[in-house]
Amino acid sequence: MDSVYFFIYFYLFITGSCVGSFANAVVCRIPKGISIAKGRSYCESCQTSLQWYDLIPIISYILLWGKCRYCKKQISFKHFLFECFGGLLFMLSFYCFGLTIETVLMFFIIMVLTVIAIIDYQTMNIYLSTILTLFILVIVYRFFIQIDFMTLLIGGLCISVPMFIFNLIIPYSFGFGDIELMFVSGLLLGWKNNLLAGFIGIIIGGIYAGYLLLRHKVEADGHIAFGPFLVLGIITSLFYGTEIITWYLSLFNY
Ligand SMILES: [Zn+2]
């Protein structure tokens, strides 16, 4: 690999891990109603404000052996994982899209989708602030990479409207956040890939719900967080949607 590429990947990893560190703070703060903009990061155990040298992504965690400098309590490994994930994701994004605006936008879009999935998994709630952030990123993405308006409009409505109607028949079957998520993802994916995303999300989520029911881990009238499965469907569709749809249609072309 020539050295220019090495430095680009290195730079993207560092930048990505910083964004990952921030995204991790967002995951911790939004459900608690703590503002993201103000207030220093603090230790969750001893509440001590952390210094800049405690907050260097990945490196601080390794140097401190995963323990708080002040109270020596274990710091959750998920901080470290999220920082590595951010770094690797930005590198992967560059690998897929090269030196384009798409690399940056895809990185941030997938980061926000991941934040939505994790918060939903932890709290069964998709927050409007995260949906709006995703919406703005998708609009910017669609400003640079345009497809025809009808494809986007149908994309926005093709899953969200049926979900909404389903909710009228069986109240609370989907959260309102799920419906908003599938509307925004339609603007990102267009209608064909969004149908696929919804299909993947609902099938895998359904299998998981069935598993929980069989193991008596959830009541028949209970709820599961659908967001993570929808996000899984959206990301799969984003990268492989066209291939999967082409493969599926080819089955009928004998
Ligand atoms: Zn501490």
Side-chain angles (χ1 to χ4, degrees):
M1 186 169 28
D2 82 55
S3 60
V4 177
Y5 271 90
F6 175 80
F7 279 111
I8 292 176
Y9 276 114
F10 183 70
Y11 173 78
L12 291 176
F13 185 79
I14 302 288
T15 314
S17 64
C18 292
V19 177
S21 181
F22 176 75
N24 183 52
V26 171
V27 167
C28 297
R29 287 183 177 203
I30 285 184
K32 292 178 187 161
I34 305 170
S35 165
I36 300 153
K38 54 185 174 202
R40 292 186 74 93
S41 292
Y42 54 87
C43 167
E44 283 163 28
S45 303
C46 65
Q47 315 291 325
T48 310
S49 277
L50 300 176
Q51 301 300 319
W52 66 267
Y53 46 79
D54 300 320
L55 294 166
I56 305 165
I58 301 172
I59 294 170
S60 291
Y61 190 90
I62 294 171
L63 290 180
L64 294 167
W65 293 94
K67 289 184 176 124
C68 169
R69 185 190 300 279
Y70 310 97
C71 68
K72 308 290 179 211
K73 280 264 170 65
Q74 197 75 35
I75 303 166
S76 169
F77 188 60
K78 72 177 203 286
H79 298 290
F80 178 76
L81 273 185
F82 219 138
E83 288 159 4
C84 291
F85 169 72
L88 292 174
L89 179 64
F90 213 173
M91 285 167 65
L92 181 69
S93 207
F94 176 72
Y95 178 79
C96 290
F97 303 107
L99 208 56
T100 59
I101 187 76
E102 214 174 345
T103 292
V104 179
L105 287 169
M106 270 304 154
F107 166 68
F108 279 104
I109 286 171
I110 295 172
M111 212 67 198
V112 175
L113 283 169
T114 310
V115 166
I116 289 174
I118 295 176
I119 295 181
D120 191 24
Y121 176 73
Q122 289 178 342
T123 68
M124 301 263 290
N125 210 337
I126 294 178
Y127 288 80
L128 188 60
S129 55
T130 55
I131 288 287
L132 286 177
T133 310
L134 183 67
F135 178 72
I136 291 165
L137 285 168
V138 168
I139 293 297
V140 174
Y141 177 79
R142 279 285 158 236
F143 175 77
F144 286 105
I145 294 134
Q146 296 180 353
I147 55 175
D148 74 288
F149 181 72
M150 281 312 280
T151 304
L152 292 183
L153 184 67
I154 298 169
L157 302 175
C158 69
I159 300 283
S160 59
V161 170
M163 276 173 132
F164 184 75
I165 293 170
F166 201 81
N167 250 15
L168 292 178
I169 301 166
I170 307 171
Y172 306 112
S173 41
F174 294 102
F176 203 66
D178 297 328
I179 297 172
E180 292 164 347
L181 177 62
M182 291 320 288
F183 174 76
V184 180
S185 77
L187 303 181
L188 174 67
L189 295 167
W191 68 270
K192 281 184 196 158
N193 282 5
N194 202 39
L195 277 178
L196 178 70
F199 183 73
I200 294 172
I202 289 168
I203 292 289
I204 298 179
I207 292 171
Y208 179 70
Y211 164 80
L212 290 182
L213 268 176
L214 282 176
R215 301 292 302 267
H216 302 292
K217 290 185 175 175
V218 67
E219 300 293 321
D221 57 353
H223 293 279
I224 66 159
F226 242 112
F229 301 103
L230 295 174
V231 165
L232 185 70
I234 293 167
I235 293 177
T236 308
S237 192
L238 199 54
F239 283 98
Y240 299 108
T242 310
E243 283 86 342
I244 294 172
I245 291 170
T246 309
W247 167 78
Y248 179 74
L249 292 179
S250 76
L251 296 178
F252 301 95
N253 275 343
Y254 47 80

